[in-house]
Amino acid sequence: MANYTLTINGSQHQVEASEDMPLLWVIRDLLDMKGTKFGCGQGLCGACTVLLGDTALRSCSLRVSEVGEQGITTIEGLSQNGDHPLQKAWTAHIVPQCGYCQAGQIMNAAGLLKRNPSPSEDEIENAMAGNLCRCGTYNRIKEAILTAST
């Protein structure tokens, strides 16, 4: 076990964890932040997506020992009041059905918009291709991202 200082959503957290513990389990189990979801555990579905710096990454396949000093943003840290442009667009376009994948979808979209504030439909589809939605709300997701873009 090792001690780690992680900056998550602007706050520092001290955790003791095995160096190979996935960041997902640090966030959910050690820090009790339940917004980041477990989907597949292999980085394939995107439900566990968080931002490391400005880059969207799968927290289930990122070991806590690999985080370093970069800040982590989870869905809880995207906006204090749920009024981030993506969250507002998600509501306006009635994106969620079951809602399970939505935190990961929004965090992946946030990473996309940090890299490219005005993506084309093709760029959105390419960037979001790795996030799975069992309910099939892909067209609404794309429309919401277009709405939130500048």
Side-chain angles (χ1 to χ4, degrees), residues 70-89:
Q70 292 189 73
I72 299 159
T73 305
T74 68
I75 191 71
E76 294 95 340
L78 196 58
S79 166
Q80 291 270 339
N81 303 312
D83 60 357
H84 185 278
L86 282 167
Q87 292 168 315
K88 290 168 125 180

Side-chain angles (χ1 to χ4, degrees), residues 39-71:
C40 67
Q42 298 177 345
L44 303 172
C45 73
C48 67
T49 302
V50 298
L51 297 180
L52 183 62
D54 288 340
T55 304
L57 295 172
R58 308 298 198 250
S59 63
C60 73
S61 57
L62 179 67
R63 296 182 304 189
V64 66
S65 60
E66 298 172 319
V67 170
E69 295 182 13
Q70 292 189 73

Side-chain angles (χ1 to χ4, degrees), residues 108-130:
N108 196 46
L112 166 63
L113 294 180
K114 284 184 179 280
R115 288 189 318 276
N116 182 356
S118 298
S120 68
E121 288 188 26
D122 285 343
E123 290 169 325
I124 292 170
E125 288 174 11
N126 288 333
M128 300 301 292

